[in-house]
Structure formats: structure tokens, C-alpha cells
Amino acid sequence: MILGIDVGGTHTDAVLIESGRIRKTAKVTTSPDRIVDSLSGIAQDLLKGESLEKIQRIVLSTTLSTNAIVQNKVDPVGLLVISGPGLSPSHFEIGGNTRFLSGYVNHRGIETAPIDPAEVTRFHEEFLRKGLKHVGIVGKFSTRNPNQELQVEKSIHNGLDHVSLGHRMSGHLNFPRRVATTYLNEAVWERYSSFVRQVISFFQGLGLSVPVYILKADGGTFEIQHSVEFPVYTILSGPAASIMGILSMTPDNKNDAIALDIGGTTTDIAVFADGVPLLEAFGVTMENHKTLIRGLRSKPVGIGGDSMVYVKDGQILIGPERKGPAAAFDGPCPTPTDAMIFLGLTDIGNRSKAEKAVQSIAEIMGITVQEAAEIIFENTCEKIALHVHSVIEEINNQPVYTIHELLEGKKISPKILYIIGGPAKPMSTRLGQLLGCPVCVPSYYEVANAIGTALARTTAELTILADTEQGTMTIGEEGIQEKLPSRFTREDAIETGRRMLRERALRLGARAEDLEIEVIEDQEFNMVRDFYMTGKNIRVKLQVKPGLIAGFKTGELS
């Protein structure tokens, strides 16, 4: 059996899957300040009466890192940045405690200026005086040679709780994104590591010793113990969970598609190209911080089933604020859910309380309750549809990247609309009309995120940079730089990458049967000096492709 739990901003959903079928589902209200309580409560409820020895795998997705960043509940971070020549250091300042070190590694990984140990000591002592316990170290070309970052880390480890290194965050270049990624990773580390300790303790207390995984932004997982070093990878795991849920429960459709996850607070909009989810290939953006974290492309908009409905300047407005649950569930104000209950589109909650809430809007507007409910419902659907059109227009003005490849010249033209989340059924018909698409509301649409979480395979990526003139090979994500054998070729780089990526993925918790490795970048450049070729610069990037674990195929879950 597999236990999947999605801790969302409004609700925590859980599912128990056995032999390719949904055995049990559960849904509770999330306690934002006590996420572990929400998780443990629903797990205990779902596992009650079950044979725990049958549990083979536990997978979680959580909004903890995302919410910490959005709500600015992060720890102060000291940043030591080795920026070298180029842009002014002011471009890289984040958080008020950024300090710049002498030293430089150039674009080929050659050290052209050494680190000043006295400078490192001075900044280290300053951080300790300020009570800073978290530090990030970032060099401009550390993915080509991590030695300066490692040297600085060795000098400052005393007195600190944790240090994040820029070269470990991603094999991609882009220095500003690397600085932001390293900063965010360290800023949420304390809160996230405490969460992981509590989760592990809880499941051990139940007598479960099976692997526990956490979902990442790219729709893949890694073992929760390993996730402690990279909490920034777990940002936006909620939208990733919904996309993976849709993949697991809908037919293997090769058409362009829209995917909506309508929650209580927000609606997440995702798009599929030729049946494949789109990817933020260069990295997701969190609170204006552009990162190097690869993530499934999804846009949250501030409208959901529990969005506050109010009147301003003679207009009925909806969201983006959520004051609590719908009035039908004893919430403080009218919501779209109350309108849908009154209109008979759903039979949940207390209808009389829903009617009373909608009536308060009707009286202000001088219209009937029926008219008010219809306006609220229509405006909610129209607002979501408007955002969908905006998302498609934005995508069609940019290169289209899927989780597998760049689609040259691709223009998205959706042929089907997938909807999940609590309000999916009552809103599906109208949204389909507004967007001009046939609609698919999958089975178990209310807990689709938990299903997608449960079935996601472990993903990983690796970047090989080989300079045959220097005779060096660097693997940034692993912090490795080693000598090349003679006559090293692009084919050798790919073979080495496959071997090392397999080892990395297994170390992160992947099962051998889930390893679908593919080359996603493959470049080779001649190095020329005085009109003679002196070597080659080889760059290869590989990934374990996101998807469902072995034994599950798209659309087969029931």
C-alpha cells in the first residue's frame, strides 16, 4: 500500500492506494501554524484499522517552504558572495546581510584570484556578532569549479547551524538566480528541518520504517532525509501535486490541455502541450526571487471556493482574500461555495446558512437572492476563465518547454479542460462553455493532489562539464572536480553522466525500476588557440524524467 498526503493551504488530503486502486480517502482542514498536526491527524485517521506492515511507501507534499517565503517567516541569512568582475555587487544583494569576497573563478573554472582568508574571518565574526546562524556561499562560476566555495565553508563552519553552497543548488549557470536560490534554501532551512524531524518521529512512533518521500516543484520526489539539505526544492510542490494527480487519473491524451485545481483560496492554472506538462525550465519565481529550481509551470490566481464575496462601489467582487470557510460551514462571510449551494449545484454544507449569506449581498444590491447567487457564480467562473486566457497568451509569446524538451514554434491551442479540487463538479459545465473545451473531471477529483503525490517517482538531474584542454571534469550538483582520462569524448561524458545520475538518484531514494534517464542538453565546442584546436568544451545535462512510479500508467488508476 502507498500513503499519499497533500498538505494544502486550505485542506489536507490523504489517500491510501492498494493494488492499483484507491482504498481510502480523507480530507481535513489544514492548521497553517500546526502543519504536522494536520498531517499526523489525517494519517492516523486513514491508517486506522489497517495492517501497517502492508505500507510500502509514504509520500508527502507540503506548502511549508512556500508559505514561509510568502509570509516572510524566514530566518535571516548571511550571504558570502564571490562575484568577481562584471555587474555591480549591488545586483546580488538579498536580505540585508550580503558581503562580497575577493577571489574569482572564471567561466572555464580556472582560479584567477584567490580567496582572502582574513576577509572571510572578518565577515564570519561579523555574522556571529549579529547572531546569524545561517550562511550561504555563492561563487559566480562555482558550477565550473566549486573549490573556492568549499574553501570558504571550511573556514566558517564553527558557530553556525547550517551552510548552503551555491554549486549544490543546480548545474545551470545564471549567477543572480543562484544567489537567490542559495539564500532561500538557507532562509527556510531551520523551519523545514524541524518539520522533517517531526514527520520522521511521527511515522516511527506508528511503527512504520518504510521510505518517506517529499514532493518537489518538478513533480518528482526525494527521500525526506535527503530533502533537509535542499528545502528550496519543495517550494510550489502543491501545484506540482495537482498536475501529477491529473496525469495519474486521466487518459493518455496527446492534445494540448488546460488543467485547473480549484481550491478554497486559489485556483492553480497549468497547461499541457501535446499531453505533456509545461516546465519552468530556467527556474520558478518565488516572491520576486528568480530561482534555479526547475518546476512544473503553474500560475496561482486569488480566487477559490471560499473567496470572500463583498460589494464595493455597487459591484459584487470576489477574492482574492479568504476569511475562512464558506458560511454554509460556519464561515464569516459569503463565498462562491455558498452561491453554488444555494443554486443547487452541490449539496454540501448547510443550505439555510448559505442562503442567508448570499441574501446579505442581495439586500445591498437590491436584487433577489437567486439573482445574487447567479451573479456570484458567473463572476467566479468568468474570472477564472479570464486568467486562463491570459496564461495561454503569455505562454504563446514565449518558448514552450515541457518536462522533456523545447517545442520550437509551438502555440498552445487547448482541446480539453481538466478540473480537480472541491468545486470542480459544480463549476465544470460553465467553465467548459467559457473556455470552449470539453471537460474532464476525474474520479476522486477532490483528493487528486494526494493521489499525484503518492504516485510521483523520484527525480534528479546532473550536469557534466568537461574541459579536455585543462583535462578536468566538473559535476556541480555533486561538488566534484576530477581529472579527465585521455581522449575523453562527448559520448564518454554522456556515459559518465548516466552512471553518476543513476547513483545520485538511488541515493536520493529512487527505485531502480523508476529510473528513466534522458539527456536534456548536449553541447560540444572546439577550443582554439593560435589557429589550432587545443581541446573541447563538453556540456551534458541529464535528468531522471518526471512521471509515475513503475506499475502505474497514465489514466489507469481507479
Side-chain angles (χ1 to χ4, degrees):
M1 288 193 293
I2 302 171
L3 172 62
I5 304 176
D6 170 59
V7 184
T10 306
H11 294 103
T12 295
D13 303 330
V15 62
L16 200 59
I17 300 173
E18 182 178 25
S19 301
R21 293 186 174 274
I22 306 295
R23 180 179 173 87
K24 280 184 182 179
T25 66
K27 181 185 288 283
V28 300
T29 301
T30 299
S31 301
D33 298 323
R34 301 189 306 278
I35 287 179
V36 174
D37 291 349
S38 301
L39 186 153
S40 60
I42 201 168
Q44 287 177 317
D45 180 46
L46 208 63
L47 295 174
K48 190 175 182 180
E50 297 294 335
S51 300
L52 297 185
E53 65 273 12
K54 291 184 178 181
I55 302 292
Q56 300 169 310
R57 158 189 175 95
I58 300 167
V59 195
L60 316 173
S61 66
T62 175
T63 58
L64 186 137
S65 296
T66 301
N67 289 347
I69 295 167
V70 170
Q71 298 167 16
N72 199 30
K73 294 181 178 179
V74 296
D75 289 309
V77 175
L79 277 178
L80 295 176
V81 179
I82 314 165
S83 56
L87 284 174
S88 167
S90 62
H91 285 83
F92 310 115
E93 291 188 17
I94 301 178
N97 290 297
T98 305
R99 302 293 180 265
F100 296 92
L101 296 175
S102 303
Y104 187 58
V105 167
N106 70 15
H107 66 285
R108 291 186 62 190
I110 301 170
E111 184 179 72
T112 59
I115 295 293
D116 181 351
E119 197 175 49
V120 174
T121 299
R122 185 170 72 251
F123 290 143
H124 180 211
E125 291 173 349
E126 177 192 348
F127 289 162
L128 293 180
R129 285 196 304 272
K130 288 184 170 184
L132 297 176
K133 297 291 187 179
H134 301 277
V135 172
I137 305 169
V138 197
K140 182 178 289 184
F141 290 108
S142 59
T143 56
R144 304 285 170 87
N145 181 349
N147 289 336
Q148 287 193 338
E149 285 187 0
L150 295 169
Q151 178 187 342
V152 175
E153 179 196 27
K154 189 175 181 180
S155 301
I156 69 167
H157 69 276
N158 290 332
L160 300 175
D161 288 346
H162 192 259
V163 175
S164 290
L165 301 178
H167 71 269
R168 300 296 303 279
M169 297 297 113
S170 169
H172 281 295
L173 292 177
N174 194 314
F175 189 41
R177 283 182 180 265
R178 185 176 309 284
V179 173
T181 305
T182 307
Y183 166 79
L184 292 178
N185 194 69
E186 199 58 35
V188 301
W189 184 87
E190 192 70 50
R191 182 178 291 260
Y192 183 81
S193 59
S194 174
F195 164 77
V196 169
R197 287 193 298 271
Q198 293 178 65
V199 168
I200 292 173
S201 176
F202 166 71
F203 285 118
Q204 286 178 344
L206 291 180
L208 289 167
S209 58
V210 300
V212 180
Y213 298 86
I214 198 92
L215 192 71
K216 302 184 296 178
D218 69 352
T221 66
F222 55 163
E223 271 198 327
I224 198 166
Q225 293 96 329
H226 292 288
S227 74
V228 173
E229 279 302 303
F230 304 102
V232 72
Y233 288 3
T234 68
I235 60 175
L236 302 179
S237 70
S242 65
I243 293 170
M244 298 307 294
I246 288 169
L247 276 177
S248 68
M249 292 188 296
T250 55
D252 191 8
N253 194 313
K254 301 301 183 183
N255 290 318
D256 296 348
I258 305 162
L260 301 180
D261 179 4
I262 308 174
T265 308
T266 62
T267 294
D268 290 326
I269 304 170
V271 176
F272 290 52
D274 300 333
V276 181
L278 298 193
L279 183 76
E280 294 281 9
F282 299 106
V284 301
T285 299
M286 277 296 302
E287 292 300 287
N288 297 319
H289 294 301
K290 293 183 177 180
T291 78
L292 285 173
I293 304 304
R294 283 168 30 112
L296 299 181
R297 184 165 183 161
S298 178
K299 181 173 182 179
V301 295
I303 186 163
D306 295 341
S307 294
M308 180 177 67
V309 177
Y310 59 102
V311 177
K312 183 178 180 180
D313 299 331
Q315 296 283 323
I316 295 177
L317 301 178
I318 304 163
E321 191 174 2
R322 176 185 185 268
K323 292 284 190 180
F329 294 94
D330 298 319
C333 63
T335 68
T337 295
D338 295 308
M340 287 183 270
I341 291 171
F342 175 79
L343 293 171
L345 297 173
T346 180
D347 59 2
I348 60 174
N350 186 310
R351 190 178 188 280
S352 64
K353 291 180 179 179
E355 181 176 358
K356 186 176 179 181
V358 177
Q359 186 176 359
S360 68
I361 299 294
E363 289 173 353
I364 296 173
M365 295 294 293
I367 56 180
T368 67
V369 179
Q370 178 74 21
E371 290 170 331
E374 289 174 351
I375 292 171
I376 292 168
F377 176 71
E378 182 67 14
N379 285 0
T380 301
C381 294
E382 287 181 351
K383 193 170 182 180
I384 291 173
L386 187 65
H387 281 294
V388 170
H389 287 304
S390 175
V391 166
I392 292 173
E393 182 179 356
E394 179 183 347
I395 290 170
N396 282 338
N397 286 322
Q398 299 173 350
V400 175
Y401 291 88
T402 72
I403 58 176
H404 305 322
E405 61 185 332
L406 165 65
L407 301 181
E408 295 281 0
K410 172 70 176 179
K411 297 295 181 184
I412 300 295
S413 178
K415 298 296 188 294
I416 189 165
L417 170 63
Y418 300 117
I419 311 181
I420 61 173
K425 275 277 178 70
M427 297 181 73
S428 60
T429 300
R430 184 57 185 142
L431 283 170
Q433 292 169 347
L434 289 169
L435 293 168
C437 288
V439 179
C440 173
V441 179
S443 304
Y444 302 102
Y445 62 90
E446 292 179 295
V447 293
N449 284 22
I451 295 170
T453 298
L455 299 181
R457 68 165 65 129
T458 296
T459 57
E461 58 183 67
L462 199 73
T463 309
I464 302 282
L465 296 169
D467 187 326
T468 64
E469 183 183 33
Q470 291 188 74
T472 59
M473 178 176 68
T474 305
I475 305 170
E477 296 93 339
E478 295 286 282
I480 292 174
Q481 187 174 60
E482 57 187 38
K483 291 293 183 182
L484 282 178
S486 60
R487 297 184 179 179
F488 191 82
T489 66
R490 183 179 62 83
E491 290 74 19
D492 294 329
I494 292 173
E495 183 180 345
T496 300
R498 288 186 182 278
R499 174 176 55 80
M500 297 199 72
L501 179 56
R502 178 182 175 84
E503 293 172 0
R504 177 179 173 85
L506 292 173
R507 193 168 66 248
L508 293 176
R511 304 182 308 169
E513 59 266 36
D514 293 332
L515 293 180
E516 192 174 347
I517 295 175
E518 61 184 2
V519 178
I520 56 175
E521 185 179 329
D522 177 7
Q523 299 180 15
E524 183 179 78
F525 305 93
N526 291 329
M527 310 293 291
V528 177
R529 192 183 305 276
D530 296 330
F531 304 104
Y532 292 96
M533 191 177 79
T534 57
K536 291 182 180 291
N537 188 299
I538 301 166
R539 306 175 193 177
V540 175
K541 192 171 190 67
L542 307 96
Q543 72 166 355
V544 176
K545 188 163 62 175
L548 306 181
I549 57 174
F552 292 88
K553 293 183 179 179
T554 300
E556 287 191 347
L557 192 66
S558 60

